[in-house]
């Protein structure tokens, strides 16, 4: 514990991100990178995932570092690649099986934890509701974005979205069953898949998310220019490393 405390005091979070979008001033965001924590390799250094094999005390220290930048502890979820959405204000210390959360109360922090999957942040023009969704390909295909939008109870035309760090189409290779699953839901998804020599496909998860948002009537979509696999110095990547940490994309309403 002494080593962790000493390391924590020397760390910086200057490499963390915020959403680049024209959100109302009371909408706040924070997107962690792999920098600024205390975990040892292969979780180095700001691993926020308690389920990936990292030392529990290191994860606790990393979450404490993050907490210093937030109005409250994040409403962590036990993400299961599904479509369930919960009210972050009602969670307390629970971590329910869900892949998205929303908040209307100020100071309640929604969180999506990722390491290649797509984090989607949402807010409305009035700054009255925010949401965060964890969209791996299964959840994206099954409708987690649609579920998160519905949970906000906002008119889609009043919503904007920001797509956070995820695997890019240069690195996201999938089998034909993934393509078929998306095409079954929407034939327009074919534009997101490029066939390669081994019978598999490179898929643009950012485009798939934009398509889903567009069909809902959400035209203002920002972000989507990252690659967690290629940018190894900045991001954790399960596809690249297998055993690795988790980042968080967070959104809340300021008091």
């Amino acid at each position: 514990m002494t080593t962790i405390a000493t390391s924590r005091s020397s760390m910086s979070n200057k490499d963390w991100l915020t959403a680049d979008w024209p959100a109302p001033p009371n909408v706040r965001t924070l997107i962690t990178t792999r920098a600024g924590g205390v975990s040892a390799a292969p979780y180095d250094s700001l691993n926020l995932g308690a389920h990936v094999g990292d030392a529990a005390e290191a994860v606790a220290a990393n979450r404490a570092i993050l907490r210093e930048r937030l109005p409250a502890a994040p409403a962590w979820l036990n993400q299961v690649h599904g479509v369930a959405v919960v009210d972050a204000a009602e969670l307390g210390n629970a971590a329910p099986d869900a892949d998205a959360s929303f908040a209307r109360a100020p100071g309640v922090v929604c969180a999506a934890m990722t390491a290649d999957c797509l984090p989607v942040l949402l807010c409305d023009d009035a700054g009255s509701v925010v949401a965060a969704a964890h969209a791996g390909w299964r959840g994206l295909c099954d409708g987690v974005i649609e579920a998160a939008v519905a949970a906000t109870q906002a008119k889609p035309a009043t919503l904007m979205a920001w797509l956070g760090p995820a695997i890019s189409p240069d690195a996201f290779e999938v089998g034909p069953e993934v393509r078929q699953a998306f095409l079954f839901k929407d034939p327009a998804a074919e534009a997101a898949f490029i066939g390669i020599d081994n019978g598999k496909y490179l898929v643009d998860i950012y485009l798939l998310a934009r398509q889903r948002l567009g069909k809902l009537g959400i035209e203002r979509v920002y972000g989507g220019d990252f690659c967690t696999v290629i940018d190894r110095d900045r991001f954790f990547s399960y596809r690249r490393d297998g055993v690795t940490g988790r980042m968080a994309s967070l959104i809340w309403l300021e008091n």
Side-chain angles (χ1 to χ4, degrees):
M1 293 300 292
T2 302
T3 301
I4 288 175
T6 301
S7 298
R8 176 181 168 185
S9 67
S10 66
M11 289 295 176
S12 167
N13 52 32
K14 67 183 186 322
D15 293 322
W16 296 359
L17 309 172
T18 56
D20 184 10
W21 60 348
N26 68 316
V27 173
R28 304 296 301 274
T29 63
L30 186 64
I31 300 89
T32 67
T33 64
R34 67 183 304 157
V38 303
S39 292
Y43 308 103
D44 47 326
S45 64
L46 191 78
N47 167 48
L48 298 169
H51 62 293
V52 295
D54 194 5
E57 61 270 25
V59 177
N62 289 336
R63 290 187 175 191
I65 291 169
L66 174 61
R67 174 65 180 84
E68 292 175 357
R69 292 281 299 273
L70 303 173
W76 298 114
L77 306 175
N78 181 36
Q79 298 171 174
V80 294
H81 296 276
V83 299
V85 186
V86 296
D87 185 343
E90 297 180 353
L91 298 190
N93 293 325
D97 290 351
D99 283 86
S101 63
F102 68 93
R104 294 188 178 87
V108 177
V109 182
C110 299
M113 198 179 299
T114 59
D116 286 335
C117 292
L118 174 64
V120 181
L121 303 182
L122 299 163
C123 75
D124 69 337
D125 289 327
S128 64
V129 64
V130 294
H134 160 254
W137 77 259
R138 293 177 181 84
L140 180 58
C141 185
D142 290 341
V144 69
I145 288 178
E146 290 87 342
V149 169
T152 68
Q153 299 181 2
K155 294 181 179 179
T158 71
L159 291 170
M160 68 184 76
W162 187 80
L163 309 181
I167 188 170
S168 77
D170 293 328
F172 197 7
E173 181 180 315
V174 299
E177 72 283 357
V178 175
R179 176 176 173 272
Q180 285 303 118
F182 278 97
L183 293 183
F184 180 77
K185 297 292 180 67
D186 182 6
E190 185 169 9
F193 292 84
I194 298 175
I196 53 180
D197 291 341
N198 60 3
K200 295 187 176 182
Y201 297 84
L202 293 175
V203 58
D204 188 341
I205 197 170
Y206 291 123
L207 176 55
L208 290 170
R210 289 190 177 97
Q211 288 179 335
R212 294 297 183 94
L213 290 161
K215 289 191 70 175
L216 293 171
I218 301 172
E219 299 180 353
R220 292 171 294 162
V221 182
Y222 305 90
D225 52 0
F226 306 93
C227 184
T228 48
V229 176
I230 294 173
D231 195 347
R232 64 172 57 247
D233 291 335
R234 191 157 56 151
F235 301 125
F236 293 118
S237 169
Y238 179 80
R239 176 68 66 106
R240 182 189 64 228
D241 298 328
V243 178
T244 192
R246 297 294 186 272
M247 304 166 293
S249 294
L250 310 118
I251 187 167
W252 68 97
L253 297 170
E254 196 171 51
N255 287 299

